[in-house]
């Protein structure tokens, strides 16, 4: 096998598995009544140490602020999020998870974990740990190579020190 063929195969394999993981997650999220974008937003809101502003959510998700408005509208309509005036800047709006939103966030986490368990069930625990370590190494090495995903925001300024949302 030529080296380029192996590199191409690895990249193609990673892309195919990422697509399969997404399909499994979407299947697990569907019964919860949320779109993938709504699920991402709900999960992101819950990772902030304090209620985020709409612009902060947009930045974390890597989208323009106007793109989060319909997503937040749907989350608010579902009773998962409320908007509150920011006491520090009355022109800004804070996004606060409701009790239902916190419970839904837990269910989302469980659904995603279940999808990942299904995908990697063919591997032993040791193989899963090895794969995770290898992927973490690649992720760490390439994190800043392609520029920040979140419009100039460093990893350190992300909420609670977590990695960016995918």
């Amino acid at each position: 096998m030529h080296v380029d063929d192996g590199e191409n195969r690895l990249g193609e394999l990673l892309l195919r598995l990422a697509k399969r993981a997404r399909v499994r997650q979407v299947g697990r999220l569907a019964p919860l009544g949320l779109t993938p974008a709504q699920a991402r937003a709900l999960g992101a809101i819950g990772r902030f140490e304090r209620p985020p502003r709409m612009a902060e959510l947009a930045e974390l998700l890597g989208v323009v602020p106007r793109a989060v408005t319909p997503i937040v509208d749907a989350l608010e309509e579902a009773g998962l999020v409320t908007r509150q005036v920011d006491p520090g800047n009355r022109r800004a709006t804070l996004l606060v998870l409701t009790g239902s939103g916190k419970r839904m966030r837990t269910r989302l986490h469980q659904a995603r974990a279940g999808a990942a368990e299904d995908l990697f069930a063919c591997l032993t625990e040791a193989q899963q740990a090895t794969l995770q370590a290898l992927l973490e190494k690649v992720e760490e090495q390439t994190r800043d190579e392609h520029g920040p995903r979140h419009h100039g925001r460093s990893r350190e300024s992300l909420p609670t020190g977590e990695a960016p949302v995918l």
Side-chain angles (χ1 to χ4, degrees), residues 54-127:
M54 295 274 286
E56 291 172 320
L57 176 62
E59 187 175 355
L60 180 64
L61 295 175
V63 299
V64 295
R66 69 179 172 271
V68 298
T69 301
I71 295 168
V72 171
D73 288 346
L75 293 174
E76 188 173 37
E77 187 175 312
L80 303 173
V81 172
T82 61
R83 288 179 168 108
Q84 296 178 1
V85 174
D86 183 347
N89 177 356
R90 299 200 51 79
R91 294 178 295 171
T93 301
L94 298 177
L95 302 172
V96 180
L97 288 180
T98 65
S100 294
K102 290 174 184 175
R103 287 187 297 278
M104 179 62 80
R105 189 168 179 267
T106 298
R107 292 175 67 197
L108 289 171
H109 177 73
Q110 291 167 343
R112 287 183 175 133
E117 286 173 16
D118 290 349
L119 187 65
F120 297 112
C122 62
L123 301 177
T124 66
E125 285 186 30
Q127 289 171 325

Side-chain angles (χ1 to χ4, degrees), residues 38-61:
Q38 292 165 352
R40 282 184 66 221
L42 189 67
I45 292 167
R47 276 195 298 281
F48 281 88
E49 293 176 10
R50 56 159 183 74
R53 293 179 178 162
M54 295 274 286
E56 291 172 320
L57 176 62
E59 187 175 355
L60 180 64
L61 295 175

Side-chain angles (χ1 to χ4, degrees), residues 8 21 48 51-52 57 65 69 85 87 96 109 135 148 151 156-158 160 162 166:
N8 185 42
F48 281 88
L57 176 62
T69 301
V85 174
V96 180
H109 177 73
L135 292 174
H151 310 290
E156 290 73 30
S157 67
L158 288 170
T160 63
E162 291 189 16
L166 297 177

Side-chain angles (χ1 to χ4, degrees), residues 136-155:
E136 285 173 348
K137 181 176 182 175
V138 173
E139 195 275 335
E140 180 69 31
Q141 184 67 33
T142 61
R143 180 176 293 128
D144 297 320
E145 251 178 45
H146 303 323
R149 174 180 166 89
H150 303 288
H151 310 290
R153 191 172 202 175
S154 70
R155 176 177 167 79

